[in-house]
Amino acid sequence: MKAKDRPEPTLFVLFGGTGDLAWRKLVPALFDLYIDGHLPNPFGILAVGRGDFDDASLSRHYREGVDRHSRRGIARDEDWGAFAAQIHFLRGDPGSQEIYASLAEACARLDQEWQVKAQRIFYMATPPDLFGVIPKYLKEAGLAQDLERARIVVEKPIGCDLASALSLNATLGDCCQEAQIFRIDHYLGKETVQNILAFRFANPMFEPIWNRRYVDYVTITVAEAVGVAHRGGYYEKAGALRDMVQNHLMQILCLVAMEPMVSFQADEIRNKKVDVLHAIRPIPRDEVSQYAIRGQYNEGWMDGQKVPGYREEAGVGHHSQTETFVALKLLVDNWRWKDVPFYLRTGKRMPRQVSEVAIQFRAVPHQCFPAEATQDWQPSRLIMLIQPEQGIILRFQAKQPGPKMHLRTSEMRFDYSQAFANPSPDPYETLLWDVMKGDTTLFMRPDQVEAAWQVLAPILDVWSSATPNDFPNYPAGTWGPEATQGLLAKQGHRWPLPVDLAGSPDKGQP
Ligand code: BG6
């Protein structure tokens, strides 16, 4: 299958079509693509789900989701009317084989109505236990075999460990060709995550210093202010390592650490990314505590409000051992990165939402300024702001104005919102458009998913066999357990205080 510049006529079959992901993310993204003129003509949504809807009531339900979650805000009636005319509902359980004959009929009927053989995108917005079931039934119903026209989209988590990921990938591979499978990690659709490649490989001046000779260490922070909200049931089984590190943080790490690609071909980029995962030094089981720290939030204060601890959240056990915070130290054993630590951390109920990558450069090899000039001296740092602020900051030393030589940290900023007039699309817009065009560049390949599980396998093993005796170990509204500092302090490193462009006083200690 070759990626196209524009999508062909498309029927978007949405399993779990009455669920939260469809309502909050997928339909608003499709609607925004429609408004921007990116959807093919004809285009239709066929939602499959168990909810009590018909075409009209489902489109009213979707309209609420769009009004609430589209980046454009409330939809205009005439726009919505034209879009909603192509929303169809098929009631049934995607986990039961019976529905697939009706699905095949509905697909054929629309082809006939449209007078075209539309491509069909089967999107599994369902609980993960159906990811291995739906593709089998699609295959049995003869809906999966058309290499050019049938595509299957699977959301993370791809398995819950290496063995289950291998098994799911094998099932998917039995049902269709790899080129038809799109494994979504929505972080890859974020503009600022894609910009890591642009920044590194479209500007020759950074490449010569992007290595162990100049970089001391790298930190990747993905902090969320929210707790688990209504997702306690899912999260209890996942935890932060599976929910965030295995996919989102590993993807960012790959983009920061990968070698330059030779071309912009999907597999070329994905090869370079998987090379990084293969180069990560395996963590010995008896040393896991020196590489990985887990935490769980307790009750605490956020924005002047008291918030409950994780164990008090809906769907969470009173003695839950699930981690809501992870900090890791990883080493990438190759010529570029040997002995440069990559520190990753993610957690819920941190003081604020902030995702950023900080490249901490080494100190100058010889300090030639007088001691009094360098009292506030800090090595240079490059910070890639992923969200909510989007941009890049370079912190460096500059001479403070005055008769004496005194150095102070200064910075240069690139801010997306000021640099570009057009707003950033939601990641799902980008990714859904790519699925429609058949472009797999921003999707996870099975070997990459498996390599990421392989890296985490020792931690998962050790953590599942030894219950943490200090949970909950960080109050909501702080930057995680104290032990996190020790992970870096041994090498004389420290977590940077995450950037706050809004300039509000930082809450809590990093
Ligand atoms: C999801 C996780 O993949 O990413 C959630 O399951 C998390 O737990 C979310 O909240 C974060 O995404 P974003 O785009 O808000 O950073």
Side-chain angles (χ1 to χ4, degrees):
M1 183 175 63
K2 279 194 103 178
K4 314 257 180 3
D5 292 338
R6 282 191 64 80
E8 305 272 326
T10 300
L11 176 62
F12 198 88
V13 179
L14 197 40
F15 293 106
T18 55
D20 185 60
L21 181 67
W23 183 77
R24 209 165 31 87
K25 289 284 179 191
L26 303 178
V27 177
L30 289 169
F31 180 68
D32 283 334
L33 284 170
Y34 167 73
I35 295 294
D36 284 339
H38 292 316
L39 287 190
N41 188 10
F43 172 85
I45 297 176
L46 175 56
V48 183
R50 288 180 300 181
D52 194 12
F53 289 98
D54 57 19
D55 295 358
S57 57
L58 184 66
S59 73
R60 279 198 300 277
H61 173 65
Y62 282 165
R63 168 89 194 249
E64 275 174 41
V66 166
D67 286 348
R68 219 149 345 134
H69 296 290
S70 154
R71 65 183 162 84
R72 290 196 168 79
I74 294 183
R76 296 189 325 166
D77 286 344
E78 57 272 35
D79 293 337
W80 179 255
F83 179 79
Q86 286 302 345
I87 293 176
H88 310 275
F89 183 57
L90 177 64
R91 184 174 316 153
D93 177 1
S96 128
Q97 194 176 8
E98 288 139 41
I99 194 160
Y100 289 79
S102 323
L103 175 62
E105 266 170 42
C107 293
R109 210 171 33 244
L110 280 165
D111 271 3
Q112 222 171 27
E113 198 179 294
W114 291 345
Q115 300 275 297
V116 67
K117 259 184 143 248
Q119 60 183 12
R120 292 163 188 167
I121 291 170
F122 299 103
Y123 197 112
M124 296 192 276
T126 61
D129 52 351
L130 293 182
F131 293 171
V133 176
I134 293 171
K136 276 193 205 159
Y137 291 153
L138 286 172
K139 182 184 174 190
E140 283 166 21
L143 287 166
Q145 76 280 25
D146 188 334
L147 177 60
E148 287 299 321
R149 291 204 175 78
R151 280 166 218 162
I152 294 186
V153 186
V154 50
E155 276 280 337
K156 64 159 261 278
I158 312 289
C160 57
D161 55 17
L162 179 57
S164 53
L166 282 164
S167 151
L168 177 57
N169 283 332
T171 306
L172 291 167
D174 279 348
C175 301
C176 50
Q177 308 268 329
E178 180 54 33
Q180 295 172 267
I181 306 169
F182 291 74
R183 295 174 191 77
I184 284 216
D185 178 324
H186 77 279
Y187 266 59
L188 291 178
K190 291 184 191 278
E191 290 292 319
T192 43
V193 171
Q194 294 177 62
N195 191 50
I196 298 174
L197 283 189
F199 181 77
R200 288 193 56 200
F201 302 132
N203 302 292
M205 66 273 211
F206 299 106
E207 176 55 17
I209 56 168
W210 209 264
N211 56 47
R212 65 193 303 276
R213 190 157 174 219
Y214 293 95
V215 176
D216 196 5
Y217 61 100
V218 176
T219 58
I220 300 176
T221 299
V222 178
E224 295 186 273
V226 291
V228 287
H230 58 281
R231 295 168 75 227
Y234 152 78
Y235 201 84
E236 273 288 85
K237 288 192 227 135
L241 195 65
R242 291 185 171 94
D243 184 49
M244 296 293 287
V245 179
Q246 192 273 343
N247 32 75
H248 307 325
L249 278 87
M250 286 293 187
Q251 292 292 343
I252 298 174
L253 166 68
C254 287
L255 293 168
V256 172
M258 68 187 254
E259 293 302 314
M261 61 271 179
V262 174
S263 70
F264 213 70
Q265 296 298 311
D267 265 334
E268 167 59 8
I269 297 176
R270 301 196 299 178
N271 286 340
K272 292 294 191 291
K273 284 166 66 179
V274 87
D275 282 350
V276 174
L277 296 173
H278 288 152
I280 293 178
R281 191 179 301 173
I283 299 177
R285 278 174 172 63
D286 56 351
E287 290 177 24
V288 161
S289 61
Q290 293 167 45
Y291 288 86
I293 289 177
R294 55 181 156 168
Q296 186 192 75
Y297 63 85
N298 203 347
E299 61 181 20
W301 291 86
M302 300 194 61
D303 291 327
Q305 301 251 321
K306 187 142 197 212
V307 296
Y310 176 67
R311 291 176 177 181
E312 278 81 59
E313 304 275 17
V316 173
H318 290 315
H319 302 285
S320 171
Q321 308 293 350
T322 302
E323 80 284 352
T324 59
F325 173 95
V326 173
L328 287 186
K329 176 172 108 174
L330 296 175
L331 291 149
V332 179
D333 281 342
N334 60 18
W335 275 45
R336 186 186 288 269
W337 295 118
K338 180 83 177 168
D339 294 333
V340 175
F342 284 77
Y343 301 106
L344 280 52
R345 65 175 165 172
T346 183
K348 297 211 182 276
R349 288 293 190 214
M350 309 265 94
R352 57 193 157 84
Q353 185 206 19
V354 54
S355 299
E356 63 174 45
V357 177
I359 312 286
Q360 182 65 55
F361 290 99
R362 290 190 184 282
V364 288
H366 166 64
Q367 190 54 275
C368 52
F369 293 97
E372 58 277 19
T374 59
Q375 276 156 8
D376 307 318
W377 184 89
Q378 284 176 13
S380 310
R381 182 185 297 161
L382 181 90
I383 306 151
M384 291 186 264
L385 305 171
I386 291 171
Q387 65 183 23
E389 277 92 14
Q390 304 188 320
I392 294 176
I393 294 181
L394 180 62
R395 294 225 165 110
F396 58 99
Q397 294 300 299
K399 182 187 175 301
Q400 187 175 323
K404 287 194 194 151
M405 175 55 81
H406 190 96
L407 301 176
R408 285 289 293 273
T409 302
S410 305
E411 62 184 39
M412 290 195 279
R413 288 184 181 193
F414 155 69
D415 181 346
Y416 257 87
S417 60
Q418 287 175 11
F420 299 105
N422 45 331
S424 296
D426 183 88
Y428 274 100
E429 287 173 55
T430 306
L431 295 173
L432 295 182
W433 198 55
D434 281 355
V435 176
M436 285 186 257
K437 290 184 302 156
D439 184 347
T440 52
T441 312
L442 297 179
F443 298 83
M444 300 184 285
R445 224 170 43 181
D447 54 343
Q448 193 190 14
V449 174
E450 289 154 18
W453 281 120
Q454 180 92 55
V455 169
L456 301 182
I459 307 174
L460 286 168
D461 272 8
V462 170
W463 283 2
S464 63
S465 58
T467 49
N469 51 17
D470 60 346
F471 273 14
N473 59 358
Y474 70 97
T478 64
W479 293 103
E482 298 225 327
T484 308
Q485 303 301 331
L487 197 65
L488 285 72
K490 275 179 247 156
Q491 288 92 331
H493 300 158
R494 60 196 180 97
W495 294 107
L497 189 65
V499 169
D500 187 3
L501 284 187
S504 60
D506 278 306
K507 302 160 205 154
Q509 286 304 303

